Amino acid sequence: MKYQVQENCLTIFLPHELDHHNAEEIRRESDHLIIRNHIRYIIFDFAETDFMDSSGIGMIMGRYRQIYMLGGEICAAHANERVKKILTMSGVTKIMEIIEEDQSTSTLLYVGSKKFVVLESSKASIIFNDVLICNTMPITEGEREEFSVIRNGK
């Protein structure tokens, strides 16, 4: 599995099949990273995921419990229609936002009351309380300034 830690945000790039074997490995690795890096936010990146069983749902719920106790949040990015349906039917969408790119605006989306997401092609940058906390792809200093301009409404 691939993981990315930026400040207090962990992005977990989920595999093609999120089954019992992969869920257990993600559980072990992410628990270690959460403690070691003082993680408060998790992004589950479903870009490569086509299959998920109840083990995957359980892994997500377990990470939610940990992060919730630390005062943080979790969200999902790049989920296809099949994965969205599984997340919705399992009730996971009640505890986790699914970040979706709106093709008509493609720059700014509001998710919840205090945070918003800047999406641009395959990039998903999460901003909580006016602070860029993480993104699924590296961004340049120029892009940071662009996000600042968008955030300030200029």
Side-chain angles (χ1 to χ4, degrees), residues 68-134:
Y68 179 78
M69 297 301 270
L70 298 171
E73 296 182 49
I74 66 172
C75 65
H78 306 123
N80 63 33
E81 290 305 315
R82 184 177 188 165
V83 170
K84 286 180 200 173
K85 187 174 183 179
I86 293 168
L87 293 173
T88 302
M89 288 175 58
S90 66
V92 171
T93 55
K94 293 177 183 175
I95 61 161
M96 172 174 74
E97 297 284 346
I98 298 178
I99 300 168
E100 297 186 44
E101 185 168 1
D102 182 346
Q103 297 298 330
S104 63
T105 60
S106 83
T107 311
L108 183 64
L109 262 185
Y110 287 89
V111 180
S113 59
K114 295 183 181 177
K115 59 188 181 246
F116 53 91
V117 179
V118 177
L119 293 162
E120 207 172 294
S121 64
S122 63
K123 289 185 242 178
S125 299
I126 311 303
I127 301 173
F128 287 92
N129 297 325
D130 294 334
V131 177
L132 177 68
I133 61 156
C134 63

Side-chain angles (χ1 to χ4, degrees), residues 26-87:
I26 293 167
R27 185 177 293 121
R28 279 193 313 270
E29 290 293 322
S30 62
D31 285 353
H32 173 74
L33 291 169
I34 289 167
I35 293 167
R36 186 169 146 221
N37 296 290
H38 308 289
I39 299 297
R40 290 192 56 215
Y41 304 97
I42 296 178
I43 299 171
F44 292 99
D45 190 320
F46 286 93
E48 301 294 319
T49 307
D50 287 326
F51 173 80
M52 178 171 55
D53 65 13
S54 60
S55 303
I57 298 296
M59 181 274 300
I60 291 169
M61 296 295 291
R63 297 326 63 149
Y64 168 74
R65 281 191 289 276
Q66 274 188 299
I67 295 301
Y68 179 78
M69 297 301 270
L70 298 171
E73 296 182 49
I74 66 172
C75 65
H78 306 123
N80 63 33
E81 290 305 315
R82 184 177 188 165
V83 170
K84 286 180 200 173
K85 187 174 183 179
I86 293 168
L87 293 173

